[in-house]
Amino acid sequence: MHVIIEPVTAFAQNCSLLICEQSAQAVMIDPGGDPQQLIALTTKQGCKVVKIILTHGHLDHVGAAKELAEYFQVDIIGPHHDDQFWLDALPQQAQMFGFNAAEPFLPTSWLVHQQRVHFGEQELEVRHCPGHTPGHVVLISHQDKFVIAGDVLFKGSIGRTDFPKGNQAQLVSSIKQQLFDLPDGYVVYPGHGPITTIGDEKRHNPFLSGRFG
Ligand SMILES: [Zn+2]
Ligand SMILES: [Zn+2]
């Protein structure tokens, strides 16, 4: 699988384009904004987007989802149903973050823990990781050994938990139970900032070591 990370919006949110090399089918995860830039990226790659997947309901991750779903004529899958209140509140989020006006929308379907998402010859495992938001999911490729982590885990940090229904203890336990059981070599693609690995975060992340965790 070919993984391309394209930062979008003023928050430099990492939209990811996962391309199945055998079929040229692709999924776009967290198209938070800058739809023209993302369309140009898919054109340049010569891939066919077959699904849009959302990790959670924050505007910088979902802002261009509806427009691009209409453009590509595809379904929006995810996040977990517990993030519906964030999608319902998109107009307020736009105001809060100083983004262009955003309309509420619903995905075609919600994701549930341990669901498998398929495209081309690829499979992604869904894991529910509440804490940053209650309905946050991450997506794992066991074949290519990586995790699309959204705002759950960053290089040397973890997601904010000061939003409504955020919960730091729950976030730490999501990371320990759902991510740290993966092998150390799995690459982590966070929603913001540089990539890392499960092993590096187990060893060096100050929020997750025994002392602070
Ligand atoms: Zn977020
Ligand atoms: Zn974010």
Side-chain angles (χ1 to χ4, degrees):
M1 199 176 340
H2 187 189
V3 180
I4 300 171
I5 303 299
E6 183 83 359
V8 292
T9 81
F11 291 4
Q13 195 280 119
N14 293 327
C15 174
S16 19
L17 184 67
L18 311 187
I19 306 173
C20 169
E21 279 145 333
Q22 295 94 317
S23 64
Q25 290 195 9
V27 293
M28 188 177 274
I29 305 180
D30 287 359
D34 303 325
Q36 295 310 323
Q37 182 186 331
L38 293 172
I39 290 170
L41 174 69
T42 61
T43 307
K44 182 171 149 221
Q45 293 299 326
C47 60
K48 179 177 165 51
V49 174
V50 295
K51 284 182 178 68
I52 289 174
I53 305 176
L54 303 178
T55 62
H56 67 295
H58 280 161
L59 179 58
D60 58 320
H61 294 253
V62 312
K66 190 150 177 5
E67 183 176 340
L68 288 173
E70 280 160 15
Y71 177 85
F72 293 124
Q73 294 286 300
V74 298
D75 290 343
I76 300 173
I77 312 292
H80 183 283
H81 183 243
D82 289 353
D83 262 19
Q84 183 177 340
F85 77 104
W86 276 120
L87 296 177
D88 290 342
L90 281 169
Q92 294 87 325
Q93 290 197 63
Q95 231 168 15
M96 187 163 84
F97 296 127
F99 279 49
N100 291 337
E103 289 300 311
F105 66 89
L106 288 177
T108 316
S109 60
W110 303 104
L111 286 168
V112 297
H113 187 60
Q114 301 218 310
Q115 188 174 334
R116 264 63 174 177
V117 176
H118 295 97
F119 66 102
E121 295 176 26
Q122 311 300 323
E123 179 180 90
L124 300 172
E125 181 192 347
V126 175
R127 292 193 183 175
H128 185 203
C129 290
H132 172 68
T133 66
H136 201 304
V137 296
V138 303
L139 297 134
I140 302 168
S141 166
H142 292 291
Q143 216 174 320
D144 289 82
K145 302 185 174 24
F146 69 79
V147 189
I148 303 294
D151 288 353
V152 170
L153 179 63
F154 303 116
K155 185 177 174 64
S157 187
I158 60 174
R160 286 174 62 171
T161 51
D162 55 335
F163 294 117
K165 302 192 194 181
N167 181 326
Q168 185 167 352
Q170 189 183 40
L171 178 60
V172 168
S173 115
S174 287
I175 294 167
K176 289 187 172 169
Q177 288 170 26
Q178 304 303 337
L179 296 181
F180 281 5
D181 74 326
L182 296 169
D184 282 4
Y186 273 44
V187 172
V188 177
Y189 293 97
H192 304 264
I195 68 172
T196 181
T197 64
I198 292 292
D200 276 355
E201 295 316 305
K202 271 188 200 163
R203 282 187 293 275
H204 304 303
N205 193 311
F207 293 90
L208 299 161
S209 69
R211 275 188 303 154
F212 301 99

